Amino acid sequence: MSVDAENSGVLEGRAGREALCTLVLHRLRCDAADDFSSDEPYITVNEEEVWRAVGVDPGDIRAVGVRRRFGDVARLMLYQGEFAADDLIGSRIVDSGEAGLGVRSACFSSATAQYVLEFEVE
């Protein structure tokens, strides 16, 4: 697997194929927090943590500004950092067929938390 030093993104997938698209994560909006105190959400792309925030409350919008290359599909996962075990808020599969469709939204929700992530596939 080779790494693009400029973008810190994977150029080849596990099967050794060239990456077809770039996933651009724009911003994350918190509609409902997981904890009584502020949340500490983080995002993974294909099981790699790519972004983390602290002190997120309902109504907050945080810039993400992450770009990652991927092949046919990328798996986005949003977690809430916890002391013991982190809580999975939700996941979404992003397909290379979404390239060129503009900014899209992924909704992540659990029993107590709700977030919306704006992203784009180039």
Side-chain angles (χ1 to χ4, degrees), residues 96-112:
S96 60
E98 295 179 69
L101 298 179
V103 176
R104 304 176 61 75
S105 296
C107 298
F108 301 100
S109 60
S110 66
T112 56

Side-chain angles (χ1 to χ4, degrees), residues 1-3 10-14:
M1 183 180 328
S2 63
V3 175
V10 175
L11 288 179
E12 295 178 323
R14 291 188 176 138

Side-chain angles (χ1 to χ4, degrees), residues 45-88:
V45 176
N46 294 334
E47 300 179 17
E48 174 192 1
E49 184 178 324
V50 297
W51 181 85
R52 181 180 288 261
V54 295
V56 177
D57 296 307
D60 287 354
I61 298 172
R62 298 290 179 94
V64 178
V66 170
R67 299 173 67 86
R68 285 293 181 269
R69 294 185 184 259
F70 70 98
D72 294 330
V73 296
R75 183 175 183 142
L76 284 171
M77 299 182 84
L78 179 67
Y79 292 91
Q80 157 59 17
E82 298 286 350
F83 249 162
D86 295 345
D87 294 335
L88 174 64

